[in-house]
Amino acid sequence: MSRERVWCWWLAAGVLAIIGQYVLPVDGLAASLVYDAIGLVSGLVVLVAVRLHRPARPAMWYWFAAGQLTFVLGDLTYGYYQFALEQSPYPSLADVFYLASYPMLVAGLLLLVRGSRGNLIDAAVVAIGLGLVYWVFVIYPAVVGDADSAVERFTSTAYPAADVLLLALLARLLTGSRIASPSVWMLAAAVTLMFAADTGFALLTDTHPADPAFLLSYVVWAAAALHPSMARAYTAAETPGVGRGRLLLFGACSLLSPALLFVPTVRDDQHDLISVAVADGVLFLLVLARMAGFVKQLDRAALTDDLTGLASRRRVVQALRDASRPQLALLGLNGFKNVNDELGRPVGDRVLSALGARLLSGAPAGAVVARIGGDEFAVLLPHATADEVRTLAMALSSALRHPVTAGGHELYVGVAIGLAGGTGVDAEELLRQAEAAMYAAKHTGDPVRRWTPALDERAGENARLGGEIRMALDSGQFRVVYQPIVELPSGRVAAVEALVRWEHPLRGMVSPADFIPVAERNGLIVELGEWILRMACHRMAGWRATLGPLAPDRVSVNVSARQLARHGFAATVAAVLAETGLPAPCLAVEMTETAVFEGGQAVVTLNELRALGVRIALDDFGTGHSSLNLLQTVPVDILKVDKSFVDNITEAGRSTVIAEALIQVSRGLGLAAVAEGVETAAQAEALQRLGYSLLQGYYFGRPVADPNFALSTAVAEVRR
């Protein structure tokens, strides 16, 4: 028999035993012995269950077992009076055992409800509503009823009073805010059965109908102990808000008091009317307190972020309005969407929580640290200077660079910080300024950027430019030009790089440095990039068909982070290659280090392109802090050494050392190295001496629509 199913078999056996006891002759010795046996075995089963399941809080169950066994002692004592002495005294020693069991059961229930995290007001409403009914119909009649002595009156009152205490604890148990286990629900059922049996015993002249309820209470109590869930009283999840069941329970218990006024015996009794009036007053105060609690809870929820426990955007706005010299730092995470997309939202939530805790620990006393939505955080210094908030922002930027461990992954999440502050500016405007500065920091790659009026002017200009880019795409204003990549010492054009130019009808030639960032932000770079890719592949296929061996080996096309982040980009490239008939090795895609630094879909896309046979070029190599690390994680065929290392290549110094090291790295990894930005013969000669055989720059040719693939005079000059 499975340990997990023992409770079911016990419950079935217990019910059968109760039925068997009930059909035995009433007041017979056999029925009494079976009755006592059921109670005794039930109490012992609780002790066995503690050894079986080893709960975290065994003391609770020991109290329950002690209470049950003490109650059984009362049954045995009562049976001794009835069958050995042929007496039925009341009160007697049996009542001492019965009443002594209640404090033990209460002690166990107190240990149980201590972990239920319910609202005491909710429990009080239920207890007062039901307790009033019990007082009017059970307790008060016992107090004023016929009794031969004070001891008898005390005993008659003690039973229902103990039941009221059990009732209050039951209400506390049922109104808890955590999810109760099946074992807890069975305990609640056992207490309810015991309460019902006591009530029947008090109200009925013939007490035998209450006996099955007492016995079933024994059995259910033991079943609760045998259930495997007894080891954990409550689950960790919180139930959201107040459910319909709890709401109906509160409403019904609140209406019990006025409902009693419709009972004639209550309406005609002055003492009952006083009891109802007192209960009504207490219930009214409790409902007011509960409403105040709800308002406070809602207000706290509005000012607190559920995930991180930090302040909310509303709290920041409130604090900004109260601040005399506010300085605001708005932090936006870079590439956090990839964490959610690739690893799942639970991992993303843990990352946000960890970063929120890191911000909180790094902020000074008095600062308001908030999560204002998504992957954006804010730190408000209510009384500070611009220098102070900048110093803090740099420290926070450094702290957030450290990896976050979540879901078994060590994740690096970049951050851009926008600063704004000063007197005489309303809260929403300060938030807007900080947000504009943050997006400017993301665009420029700066860790921290402060808002200036120029950012708003630039934002307006960018918005206008974005609209014109859309029109330019539709009207064909863009042109593709090609810059040669020359192979030394042969001098042949080994490859070309496709570049885009915008011939604006009014502005004239618009620099890519002006319109490419705008296209990346508004998403038009995806459409523009696909158009460039298609034009370049068509042109390359034409050169191969018309020039034969004189045609370059490949054409390089720049791709943006947005393009690489799209799941279907590799399929788009495959479709263009099929459409143009260009072999995949004749195409190289160039991307910067920042486009793939955060990993995710971008790296997946590169692997898909590599699988097609397309070559991968890493542009501006050596300028990022993660360059060498990227070579381990990203499929790369070509390294394009940044112009900054070429400018001073003719002079002994750091640039020469780095350039030489990069060519060694390329050779060691089997990669092609292209030196960019070559503008003089001396630079070309120095690079050739270092081992570079592929050079690109104005010295060999500017980007033009129709490049000349013949040997240039520049190459001849280098040969000499």
Side-chain angles (χ1 to χ4, degrees), residues 169-183:
L169 290 173
L170 182 62
R172 180 73 168 84
L173 188 66
L174 296 177
T175 56
S177 62
R178 303 187 78 181
I179 301 174
S181 67
S183 175

Side-chain angles (χ1 to χ4, degrees), residues 319-328 364-368 380-386 388-389 423:
L320 279 169
R321 290 169 180 163
D322 297 336
S324 60
R325 291 186 300 139
Q327 292 291 336
L328 180 65
V368 178
L380 169 64
L381 301 181
H383 314 286
T385 65
E388 288 172 340
V389 74
T423 58

Side-chain angles (χ1 to χ4, degrees), residues 543-609:
W543 287 329
R544 284 172 54 83
T546 58
L547 299 179
L550 294 178
D553 297 333
R554 66 178 182 277
V555 60
S556 294
V557 177
N558 291 281
V559 296
S560 70
R562 271 185 179 262
Q563 290 174 279
L564 292 176
R566 291 174 65 88
H567 290 275
F569 181 69
T572 298
V573 172
V576 170
L577 291 174
E579 172 190 322
T580 60
L582 183 68
C586 294
L587 172 66
V589 295
E590 292 189 17
M591 78 287 175
T592 61
E593 298 172 25
T594 55
V596 291
F597 169 61
E598 289 155 2
Q601 180 60 37
V603 176
V604 173
T605 299
L606 291 179
N607 281 295
E608 292 172 346
L609 292 172

Side-chain angles (χ1 to χ4, degrees), residues 332-340 343 347 351-352 354-355 358 397-406 408-416 594 596-600 625-626 629-630 632-633:
L333 304 182
N334 295 326
F336 178 73
K337 184 177 182 296
N338 291 334
V339 176
N340 275 343
L343 302 178
V347 174
V351 170
L352 290 174
L355 293 178
R358 202 176 290 176
S397 176
S398 177
L400 294 182
R401 277 200 207 102
H402 298 298
V404 177
T405 302
H409 303 275
E410 196 172 63
L411 305 171
Y412 294 83
V413 181
V415 63
T594 55
V596 291
F597 169 61
E598 289 155 2
H625 66 275
S626 60
N629 183 57
L630 283 177
Q632 298 179 343
T633 59

Side-chain angles (χ1 to χ4, degrees), residues 22-203:
Y22 193 70
V23 300
L24 291 173
V26 178
D27 292 332
L29 179 61
S32 179
L33 290 175
V34 173
Y35 189 106
D36 296 340
I38 293 174
L40 179 61
V41 173
S42 297
L44 295 175
V45 163
V46 174
L47 294 176
V48 172
V50 173
R51 300 288 296 175
L52 183 67
H53 295 302
R54 300 189 180 279
R57 292 186 292 172
M60 175 180 76
W61 295 100
Y62 287 136
W63 279 115
F64 289 153
Q68 294 279 43
L69 294 174
T70 303
F71 210 90
V72 172
L73 287 176
D75 291 335
L76 292 171
T77 304
Y78 184 81
Y80 175 77
Y81 279 114
Q82 184 179 12
F83 295 104
L85 303 179
E86 297 182 351
Q87 298 177 5
S88 298
Y90 179 79
S92 67
L93 182 60
D95 294 293
V96 173
F97 288 118
Y98 287 140
L99 290 175
S101 69
Y102 283 94
M104 301 177 190
L105 298 177
V106 167
L109 289 173
L110 284 173
L111 290 174
L112 175 62
V113 300
R114 190 177 65 183
S116 67
R117 297 178 64 182
N119 190 287
L120 291 175
I121 295 178
D122 296 347
V125 169
V126 176
I128 290 175
L130 297 177
L132 177 64
V133 176
Y134 209 61
W135 166 266
V136 169
F137 295 108
V138 179
I139 299 179
Y140 183 68
V143 173
V144 301
D146 297 332
D148 296 335
S149 65
V151 175
E152 184 177 345
R153 184 177 293 108
F154 170 80
T155 304
S156 299
T157 306
Y159 280 110
D163 285 329
V164 169
L165 184 55
L166 288 176
L167 180 67
L169 290 173
L170 182 62
R172 180 73 168 84
L173 188 66
L174 296 177
T175 56
S177 62
R178 303 187 78 181
I179 301 174
S181 67
S183 175
V184 171
W185 281 106
M186 281 191 276
L187 284 176
V191 173
T192 303
L193 286 167
M194 187 174 184
F195 177 78
D198 276 347
T199 303
F201 190 87
L203 296 178

Side-chain angles (χ1 to χ4, degrees), residues 490-509:
S490 68
R492 67 179 292 265
V493 177
V496 292
E497 180 180 357
L499 302 167
V500 66
R501 295 293 183 262
W502 182 6
E503 297 178 3
H504 194 282
L506 299 178
R507 298 172 184 259
M509 193 65 69

